[in-house]
Amino acid sequence: MLRSLWYSSRVRGWAVQIALLGGLLALLWWIAGNTLQNLAERGIRTGFDYLWRPARFPISESVVSYTPADDFFWAYVVGVTNTLWLSAITIVAATLLGLFVGLSRRSDNPLLSGLARIYVTVMRNVPLIVQLLFWYGIATSSFPAPREALNPLPGVFLSLRGVYAPGLIVAPGGGLLLGLGVLVVLLAIAVVLRWPRPPLGRPGWAAICAGGAVLTLWGMSRALGHPLALSFPEMAGLNFRGGTQLSPEFAAIIFGLTLYTAAFVGEIIRGGIEAVGKGQWEGGRALGLTERQIMFRVILPQALRVIVPPMTSQYLSTVKNTTLAVAVGYPELGLVVNTVINQTGQAIESILVMLGVFLTISLSVSLFMNWYNARVALVTR
Amino acid sequence: MTDRAAPTPSAPTPSDPRLPPRTRRRPLIKLLFGDLVSAALTVLAALAIVMLLPALNWALLDAHWHVAAPGDCRHGGACWAFVAAKSRLILFGLYPPSEQWRAMIVIALIVAMILASLSPRLRGGRLIAIWGGAIVAMLVLMGGGVLGLPPVPTSKWGGLPVTLLLAVLSLGLAFPLAVLLALGRRGRLPLARAISVTIIELVRGLPLVGLLFVAAILLPLLLPPDWTVDKLGRTLAALTIFAAAYLAEVLRGGLQGLDGGQQEAAEALGIPYWKTVWHIILPQAIQNVIPPLTNTAIVMVKNTSLVLIVGVFDMLSAARSAATDPAWPAPSTEAYLFVALIYFVICFGISVYSAHLETGVKSRRHG
């Protein structure tokens, strides 16, 4: 009887699980005891009351408005929006650059594919934080003073104080117009994609849509008194005036993170292209399509299925990589959390906030990408 | 920091008899200027190269290799003399200069151990035992306090030995943890599965910077007041648990790719569970996932540079503090390039080795 109990896998399973549960509870009990003792000894307050107290620390730049008189909760919100802002710009820019890099690596052109190969190898084998510090070092020590700012493109100036670029001035009513413009463009794209045979063919129809949209928006803009305007940076005294100013921190992070991420995106896209069967290329050639037509009309749409899952994890790690902005002092969530911990000593609550935010972002991005993946996945009939 | 990157797959050699004969190469001029788009791209690429030429000029032709005084670097190109002057600080941090031979031996030992592990003759339990001995020897050598070596506290450790030790130790300690987590997640026990999934997903959902904050700030609160774990140890703990979560997912991939018949056959033969895992499951599962495993190793080597954020004096922190020396005119670019070069050599070496391993596995399967 005992012997059969000893050798029963079911009994063993239960025994192992009970032991695991006991060990886990004992560990949690021990940690909780230690924590309470430590908190009491150091006189640290607990609970989330501090969220509503004024933060009293400055945040150097933010997407939403912030003053030190705002409460800690708002400081967290500022951190989260800065993180999301960084991530959004990086993801869009790196996807576009990565597509170019991925296609270049597959290109027949030896000059192009060689350059792309060197670029990817260097980017992937040097830690991101080294790259960020490198760009930040260049932006803060090797750039000239504003008076002698470098001017690589018309309207773009690089100087020690930051990067100046043309900016959009939005007067009252401008937001509405901008939103409307985006809506019209999306609608036009949807129509072009959905309508199998529009008059004058797809390019012709796209041109008609674009012309119509521009005319309508211009008319509306005129009716509203031109609420949108471009402003160019101009030298005024010792510094620039007008345009958009990017701080050296922000410029260094966006530049470094985009270059780094694009290398990984490029490799994912190349992998997706290579996963499409050789027969697809041969089929395309047999039909008399040019190589470029095959790539954009036959291969890439199929490669998308292979590309989506690794791209999801790449986007997620990009969001997590923005926390490295701490190293150059851009106030994203990690830096805000660190400052809050220094100010209040409430480490547990602050880290829980950070955990909560990142888990929420991870989960929502995965949910969205799963939905998208289900849409592009192969439907087997 | 958690990026997946498959090592560059090796192209099949042209002489491979299993492949159809190669089509005749198109002439270079046609590849470069075949049609309008190719020509435009070629011009673009050539322009990019021309724009990079000043950088080359800065780095090589105009560079200062030897200078009499730091101020001589103020004009012209790169100041490699700075790197030469500060190389001891960057490579060894604040380690006492008279004892730096010990740090140098540690670096040599790690490199030698890694090179020795590359040979496929030394595998399994023996290799693990040798690594264990080597690690203990390195820690003793770095810390001192025995055999007449003056003690050096971990707060004085720095530079390349810290970077290498953190990478090797975090991967080595994480591996057994990762095996347990992966087996737990794939196993039949619901409680073990729940614990594994929670740990893996929590750690993977958090950026490493967050975990390092947890280790630096939170860990002292969670442990008894009389336990003092120094900063290096706490950082190592964070890196280990991070590596364990990612390695566990890689190993899970290997386990999933394994035929279920292997375990059933072992059970039918009456082989105990842990022996099945050690002799049958793990060797095959690991062989399936060599590319992602080496990839995780590269990611972890790169991740050790993040310890700068919590104030551990690794190679990157040492370079950063060397660059703040006011005697030299703004040498941060040269300092970071030097660090980048060291990381590049290590990571590129691992990826080349991984590609080589992969072709070995492939040819054994086909042969």
Side-chain angles (χ1 to χ4, degrees):
Chain A
M1 175 65 196
L2 265 179
R3 198 180 153 78
S4 69
L5 267 185
W6 178 246
Y7 282 109
S8 148
S9 62
R10 210 167 182 196
V11 173
R12 280 192 171 197
W14 276 106
V16 168
Q17 296 209 67
I18 289 169
L20 256 179
L21 189 65
L24 192 69
L25 288 180
L27 184 73
L28 288 179
W29 181 252
W30 182 69
I31 287 179
N34 292 333
T35 313
L36 289 179
Q37 192 187 348
N38 280 319
L39 290 177
E41 273 178 19
R42 299 179 195 195
I44 298 175
R45 281 201 274 176
T46 50
F48 283 94
D49 309 338
Y50 75 100
L51 282 179
W52 314 113
R53 292 205 304 268
R56 292 208 188 87
F57 64 87
I59 294 181
S60 56
E61 51 188 308
S62 55
V63 181
V64 293
S65 74
Y66 171 85
T67 59
D70 288 321
D71 51 24
F72 281 105
F73 177 76
W74 193 247
Y76 284 136
V77 172
V78 169
V80 173
T81 46
N82 278 351
T83 296
L84 291 177
W85 178 232
L86 269 185
S87 315
I89 297 181
T90 309
I91 285 176
V92 172
T95 306
L96 294 177
L97 184 59
L99 182 65
F100 180 69
V101 171
L103 292 178
S104 300
R105 280 212 62 180
R106 288 280 308 171
S107 157
D108 278 340
N109 190 325
L111 200 59
L112 204 60
S113 60
L115 269 184
R117 193 192 176 105
I118 294 172
Y119 165 76
V120 168
T121 312
V122 170
M123 286 294 147
R124 291 202 316 175
N125 287 308
V126 175
L128 174 59
I129 191 167
V130 178
Q131 299 187 26
L132 289 181
L133 286 174
F134 173 79
W135 296 120
Y136 185 59
I138 288 189
T140 52
S141 69
S142 305
F143 278 179
R147 199 182 281 274
E148 294 115 34
L150 299 175
N151 192 356
L153 294 170
V156 177
F157 296 91
L158 308 176
S159 82
L160 269 183
R161 299 250 184 101
V163 175
Y164 297 83
L168 203 60
I169 294 177
V170 183
L176 183 79
L177 196 66
L178 211 62
L180 210 70
V182 171
L183 204 72
V184 167
V185 169
L186 287 180
L187 212 70
I189 291 176
V191 168
V192 167
L193 289 183
R194 285 281 159 194
W195 201 347
R197 264 172 220 281
L200 299 177
R202 276 190 178 172
W205 181 247
I208 294 173
C209 282
V214 166
L215 271 181
T216 326
L217 287 175
W218 186 77
M220 282 198 57
S221 169
R222 205 178 149 165
L224 286 166
H226 289 298
L228 289 179
L230 270 182
S231 133
F232 289 90
E234 275 166 33
M235 199 68 207
L238 285 175
N239 212 338
F240 284 95
R241 192 171 295 161
T244 321
Q245 187 204 350
L246 308 177
S247 67
E249 290 84 14
F250 187 75
I253 295 163
I254 288 291
F255 191 67
L257 207 53
T258 302
L259 283 185
Y260 180 81
T261 312
F264 288 89
V265 171
E267 284 302 275
I268 291 172
I269 289 174
R270 185 177 68 105
I273 292 172
E274 276 169 7
V276 176
K278 224 171 71 183
Q280 299 290 328
W281 285 97
E282 287 162 355
R285 281 184 206 124
L287 289 173
L289 300 176
T290 67
E291 296 287 304
R292 207 160 285 123
Q293 277 174 326
I294 302 174
M295 177 61 98
F296 284 100
R297 303 197 167 232
V298 181
I299 306 295
L300 269 185
Q302 300 184 69
L304 217 54
R305 297 187 188 116
V306 187
I307 288 171
V308 168
M311 205 69 131
T312 313
S313 46
Q314 186 56 49
Y315 286 168
L316 280 179
S317 60
T318 304
V319 174
K320 288 186 263 170
N321 278 345
T322 57
T323 49
L324 293 192
V326 169
V328 297
Y330 179 79
E332 47 66 63
L333 185 62
L335 192 67
V336 171
V337 163
N338 203 14
T339 316
V340 171
I341 291 175
N342 287 337
Q343 293 257 321
T344 62
Q346 298 199 308
I348 301 175
E349 293 85 350
S350 265
I351 292 201
L352 280 179
V353 167
M354 189 171 180
L355 187 74
V357 168
F358 275 103
L359 286 183
T360 313
I361 295 176
S362 300
L363 278 180
S364 26
V365 172
S366 329
L367 280 180
F368 173 75
M369 289 308 263
N370 283 346
W371 169 81
Y372 183 71
N373 196 22
R375 281 203 48 150
V376 297
L378 199 61
V379 183
T380 43
R381 293 195 176 88
Chain B
M1 94 186 125
T2 55
D3 318 272
R4 286 149 180 266
T8 19
S10 56
T13 43
S15 57
D16 198 323
R18 281 171 284 129
L19 290 175
R22 274 182 80 96
T23 45
R24 203 165 55 84
R25 283 189 75 92
R26 287 197 280 158
L28 188 63
I29 190 79
K30 199 147 190 200
L31 287 178
L32 287 177
F33 297 100
D35 58 13
L36 212 61
V37 181
S38 314
L41 287 173
T42 304
V43 171
L44 207 72
L47 256 175
I49 293 175
V50 169
M51 277 168 67
L52 285 176
L53 282 181
L56 211 63
N57 191 25
W58 171 86
L60 296 175
L61 296 182
D62 276 353
H64 299 281
W65 299 91
H66 304 282
V67 288
D72 294 353
C73 266
R74 211 164 287 280
H75 299 289
C79 187
W80 299 120
F82 163 79
V83 172
K86 295 284 179 186
S87 61
R88 280 175 88 95
L89 177 59
I90 297 176
L91 287 179
F92 302 115
L94 299 174
Y95 210 75
S98 60
E99 304 294 325
Q100 277 173 5
W101 58 271
R102 281 155 56 180
M104 229 177 297
I105 294 182
V106 168
I107 296 176
L109 210 57
I110 290 184
V111 172
M113 279 305 299
I114 291 172
L115 288 180
S117 320
L118 297 189
S119 134
R121 242 173 300 162
L122 210 60
R123 284 284 148 85
R126 227 169 4 141
L127 186 66
I128 295 173
I130 297 176
W131 262 106
I135 293 280
V136 171
M138 287 174 213
L139 292 179
V140 167
L141 209 57
M142 281 298 280
V146 286
L147 305 172
L149 294 171
V152 180
T154 55
S155 55
K156 292 266 181 201
W157 297 14
L160 187 57
V162 164
T163 297
L164 290 177
L165 274 176
L166 279 177
V168 168
L169 277 177
S170 64
L171 279 171
L173 294 174
F175 203 81
L177 265 178
V179 170
L180 287 182
L181 285 175
L183 288 175
R185 192 168 184 170
R186 287 279 297 161
R188 296 171 198 153
L189 308 178
L191 186 65
R193 198 159 56 219
I195 295 175
S196 303
V197 170
T198 313
I199 294 179
I200 293 174
E201 294 307 328
L202 268 185
V203 171
R204 278 162 42 98
L206 204 62
L208 181 53
V209 174
L211 269 183
L212 287 170
F213 282 163
V214 171
I217 303 165
L218 215 51
L219 208 57
L221 285 179
L222 305 183
L223 295 176
D226 48 337
W227 286 24
T228 49
V229 184
D230 61 5
K231 205 189 270 169
L232 201 63
R234 292 192 305 236
T235 317
L236 180 62
L239 286 173
T240 303
I241 189 87
F242 185 81
Y246 282 86
L247 282 176
E249 284 298 274
V250 171
L251 284 177
R252 185 165 72 106
L255 294 177
Q256 270 169 352
L258 207 61
D259 191 351
Q262 298 284 334
Q263 187 166 356
E264 284 162 20
E267 272 172 27
L269 289 171
I271 303 175
Y273 180 69
W274 289 111
K275 277 195 181 166
T276 315
V277 167
W278 180 249
H279 291 293
I280 295 165
I281 305 225
L282 270 188
Q284 298 185 68
I286 289 174
Q287 202 165 52
N288 283 340
V289 288
I290 282 176
L293 271 183
T294 47
N295 208 11
T296 313
I298 296 179
V299 168
M300 281 316 289
V301 170
K302 291 199 290 175
N303 277 341
T304 56
S305 54
L306 261 69
V307 300
L308 158 130
I309 287 169
V310 290
V312 170
F313 209 64
D314 75 325
M315 188 167 54
L316 185 59
S317 320
R320 186 159 77 160
S321 72
T324 55
D325 185 345
W328 296 84
S332 70
T333 313
E334 291 87 340
Y336 293 138
L337 278 179
F338 179 60
V339 173
L341 180 71
I342 295 178
Y343 273 110
F344 181 83
V345 168
I346 298 173
C347 297
F348 190 61
I350 301 177
S351 69
V352 167
Y353 174 64
S354 142
H356 160 80
L357 262 189
E358 211 182 335
T359 49
V361 170
K362 258 188 209 151
S363 64
R364 240 177 293 144
R365 288 222 180 118
H366 289 300

